[in-house]
Amino acid sequence: MEDVEMKVRTRKKSVRDFFTVFDGSHPSEYRIVKKNGDTTIKTLNHPSSKKIFYPNVFLSIVQLDFVWICAIFLSCFLLSWLVFALFYFLVAEAHGDMLKDELHVEMPPCVYDVSDFIEMFMFSMETQTTIGYGTRYVTEECPLAITLVVIQSILGSFLLSVLTGVVLFKFQEPKKRKHTVLISKVACVFENDGNYYIEVQILNMQRSQVIGPQVSAFCVMNLPDGSGKCRLDMELDACHVKSRLFFRPRIYRHRIDNKSPFWEFDRRDFEKGDYEIIVVMDGQDEITDSYVQVRTSFLSSEINWGRQFKQMTPTRVGNMFKLNFNDFTRTMRSRTMSDDSASVASRSRRTSLASGSITEEDMESIEMSYFGT
């Protein structure tokens, strides 16, 4: 009987429990990449911020939080309407349109049906938004007012195009789609026929598929000589899946061999070591064709020794296939494995081969059938 790891439920699960958009990191856990994909790296002694911001003002605004973008969007329109309304009002005041005596009754105004600043503000808004002129419209009496209308129309179109592009790029950011791609909160280390593996599970929550997903990983750990942290690449291979589509949950495995940074890691090193595994998934959404990137990280406290993810097998109901989402968070105990490192297990394997208890061809066939190749 499978020993399935079950978590005690103290409350009803919500959407927040399933998505990685919220950072579940403990304050005492220092990591380069948070669970929600945000990075914690800040640069020091960089050039002046003005030299960086102004040449790339568009990209700098896109990188702001959505609240700030909405504030900039509203402020730009309101400020432009207000400034041009002030210009129109000064021109009308200089022309004498605001005077209410008999000497100016028959004089054609610069802008019809405008008697105060509030109505001039309405005229400015109608001009820039091209809503259309009703009773308020500019006349040929004031060439300066006509010039202001032309300038406001050009600048208004430019402002609308820039701000619309900012909002569009903000909605199409790769990390927006990441909220619908779920990466397991833990990674598992297990043994199969003398070989050690690290595996993570990834699930696409949206109906639209991620085309050609590419998953890569690397590890950041302290060097044994005490010279500081280094980045070491890790190879991740999809288990049993070669399709470019993302129809069902995928398990990606890293084989711990002599090229792996975890070759000498035993159980204590995995559970207490100072390292961080960073996983990145890239792909394209099939509907919008937009770029998708999801990333997360695993610390030593998020490594399950001697366990594997339970396969999420779809069940057919009528003409549809259904997946039980509860299986995504479950792991099962793998075959009994020692607390030794992969290098020790490899030496034991070579000893078994040398004794003739198992042949190399049998071992290769077992590995090939295990990975579905």
Side-chain angles (χ1 to χ4, degrees):
M1 180 177 181
E2 294 180 348
D3 181 13
V4 181
E5 181 184 30
M6 298 291 293
K7 295 184 179 179
V8 179
R9 297 186 179 180
T10 58
R11 62 180 176 83
K12 185 178 180 179
K13 289 189 176 181
S14 63
V15 176
R16 179 169 180 167
D17 298 316
F18 296 144
F19 288 86
T20 57
V21 60
F22 297 98
D23 181 25
S25 303
H26 193 273
S28 62
E29 295 178 343
Y30 297 99
R31 61 177 80 219
I32 298 175
V33 178
K34 297 181 180 180
K35 297 299 288 184
N36 61 0
D38 296 337
T39 58
T40 60
I41 298 177
K42 293 185 179 180
T43 57
L44 299 176
N45 301 323
H46 55 78
S48 174
S49 58
K50 294 182 179 179
K51 295 180 181 180
I52 298 176
F53 179 82
Y54 290 114
N56 303 284
V57 60
F58 184 84
L59 294 179
S60 300
I61 294 176
V62 171
Q63 294 175 1
L64 295 175
D65 293 336
F66 206 84
V67 176
W68 286 106
I69 292 180
C70 292
I72 293 174
F73 192 93
L74 296 176
S75 300
C76 288
F77 279 109
L78 292 176
L79 185 62
S80 62
W81 296 342
L82 184 62
V83 169
F84 279 97
L86 180 61
F87 288 158
Y88 290 131
F89 184 82
L90 294 177
V91 171
E93 183 72 22
H95 190 259
D97 296 345
M98 302 304 170
L99 299 178
K100 301 298 183 181
D101 52 47
E102 290 106 359
L103 297 177
H104 298 82
V105 172
E106 300 298 333
M107 182 182 298
C110 293
V111 181
Y112 271 111
D113 198 22
V114 172
S115 58
D116 54 25
F117 183 78
I118 299 299
E119 293 180 350
M120 194 64 77
F121 180 81
M122 292 293 295
F123 170 76
S124 176
M125 182 189 67
E126 293 173 358
T127 300
Q128 185 167 328
T129 57
T130 64
I131 292 177
Y133 297 104
T135 57
R136 285 184 292 268
Y137 59 92
V138 68
T139 67
E140 66 276 5
E141 184 68 21
C142 298
L144 183 57
I146 297 176
T147 304
L148 288 174
V149 170
V150 174
I151 295 175
Q152 185 178 13
S153 299
I154 296 174
L155 292 181
S157 300
F158 176 77
L159 180 63
L160 180 62
S161 301
V162 172
L163 294 180
T164 302
V166 169
V167 175
L168 181 62
F169 272 92
K170 192 65 178 178
F171 276 111
Q172 290 184 342
E173 276 187 315
K175 62 182 181 181
K176 293 299 179 183
R177 180 66 164 81
K178 76 177 183 181
H179 303 334
T180 59
V181 177
L182 185 62
I183 302 180
S184 58
K185 295 182 179 180
V186 297
C188 296
V189 179
F190 68 98
E191 177 189 3
N192 180 64
D193 295 321
N195 296 317
Y196 283 21
Y197 299 91
I198 303 175
E199 68 176 11
V200 297
Q201 188 167 214
I202 303 177
L203 173 64
N204 179 30
M205 298 287 293
Q206 200 164 358
R207 288 188 176 182
S208 62
Q209 301 302 312
V210 178
I211 306 299
Q214 299 292 329
V215 180
S216 59
F218 60 92
C219 176
V220 178
M221 64 173 60
N222 289 319
L223 292 173
D225 56 5
S227 59
K229 291 184 177 293
C230 67
R231 167 181 168 171
L232 302 172
D233 294 330
M234 300 170 53
E235 294 184 1
L236 280 180
D237 298 319
C239 178
H240 303 297
V241 176
K242 298 299 181 181
S243 173
R244 289 173 55 85
L245 298 179
F246 213 152
F247 285 112
R248 54 175 295 178
R250 288 189 177 185
I251 294 178
Y252 288 85
R253 289 172 178 165
H254 165 70
R255 180 174 177 175
I256 304 178
D257 53 15
N258 56 0
K259 298 180 181 179
S260 172
F262 301 101
W263 178 240
E264 299 292 341
F265 272 48
D266 56 16
R267 179 171 185 173
R268 179 178 177 82
D269 295 329
F270 270 108
E271 296 179 346
K272 304 295 182 182
D274 182 15
Y275 63 91
E276 179 178 352
I277 300 175
I278 300 175
V279 178
V280 182
M281 192 206 78
D282 302 289
Q284 284 184 311
D285 185 84
E286 67 172 347
I287 296 180
T288 63
D289 199 29
S290 59
Y291 178 68
V292 179
Q293 184 182 87
V294 187
R295 56 178 179 260
T296 189
S297 65
F298 302 93
L299 298 181
S300 57
S301 59
E302 297 161 346
I303 302 297
N304 288 345
W305 179 271
R307 305 194 70 87
Q308 292 180 258
F309 287 106
K310 183 178 180 180
Q311 291 286 346
M312 295 181 64
T313 305
T315 58
R316 185 168 183 174
V317 179
N319 59 349
M320 298 182 62
F321 289 91
K322 294 186 177 181
L323 286 170
N324 185 4
F325 183 79
N326 292 330
D327 292 340
F328 184 80
T329 59
R330 295 178 180 176
T331 60
M332 60 183 181
R333 187 179 302 277
S334 63
R335 53 182 296 179
T336 303
M337 59 184 298
S338 63
D339 296 340
D340 297 327
S341 63
S343 60
V344 174
S346 177
R347 287 194 293 270
S348 300
R349 174 174 174 269
R350 288 197 297 267
T351 302
S352 300
L353 291 174
S355 63
S357 58
I358 186 173
T359 63
E360 186 70 29
E361 290 76 8
D362 294 337
M363 183 62 65
E364 291 180 357
S365 63
I366 293 175
E367 293 176 356
M368 292 176 63
S369 61
Y370 182 75
F371 280 97
T373 56

